[in-house]
Amino acid sequence: SRKTAPLNFISHSLSIPELRFLMSAALPAVCTPSSSSLCDVGSRLGAVLFGASILGGFRRAVGVEINPDLCKVQEAAVGAFGLEKSVRVVCGDVLDNTQLIADAQVVVLHNAFQFFLAPETSLRCWRAIAAATKPGTWVVACPSLEEQLACCTGGAGGKGATKKGKQKKGKGAARSTALDLDAWVEEHAMDYPIAETEDDEYADEEGRLFTNIHLYKVKAALV
């Protein structure tokens, strides 16, 4: 048809600059993508999967997505660009697919449940993920695990649960025992690039780019 017009499609996903930083710089600094498997929890339109395959050269990128319509979009893109050998989309609940997390060397959690599930259900998913990950697995979180878990009933425990690294008293103390981040993961210091211009939309107050992305290494599964 000649009756066309530009369309801005807003998705809940990482942008191309964020993916380029993550797949081409941050993750290659801690793992070997060509021999690693990545699992994206809540893969939506597949941006992380395609970034892992095309930008990162990951051996395998698997997305778990519960929305069948979004799965069809991802699968169509996989077929259109010939990514069948490196990208796989699993349509289902992450609670039924924890083995995919256990098999991955990198697990991506980009607002996986924060805006989509009731707090109790969200916490159940987090506990399943924490139980499935193996020691040495790298966890990419955007925003931080502390922020994502704050919306759950029970919240997150550990030093990162509060801004000052201290447990809250009273009601907050009860919330902080649901998921012990200190026992599960250790945050890895990332080398964030510096913005070249003052008006860069990805820059924080100190001019660093992509500081909403955090990287953790699993110390032990929380069973």
Side-chain angles (χ1 to χ4, degrees), residues 72-125:
K72 291 177 182 178
V73 173
Q74 294 177 81
E75 290 166 349
V78 169
F81 293 98
L83 299 175
E84 294 91 345
K85 292 183 178 180
S86 61
V87 176
R88 177 189 174 199
V89 179
V90 176
C91 191
D93 193 321
V94 67
L95 292 174
D96 299 323
N97 292 280
T98 53
Q99 187 58 47
L100 296 175
I101 295 171
D103 293 340
Q105 286 73 54
V106 177
V107 177
V108 179
L109 297 160
H110 178 222
N111 275 333
F113 316 113
Q114 204 170 358
F115 304 111
F116 309 102
L117 297 177
E120 296 80 4
T121 305
S122 178
L123 184 57
R124 189 160 64 250
C125 292

Side-chain angles (χ1 to χ4, degrees), residues 194-201 203 207 209:
I194 302 299
E196 297 181 357
T197 60
E198 294 182 357
D199 59 348
D200 194 308
E201 64 178 310
L209 298 173

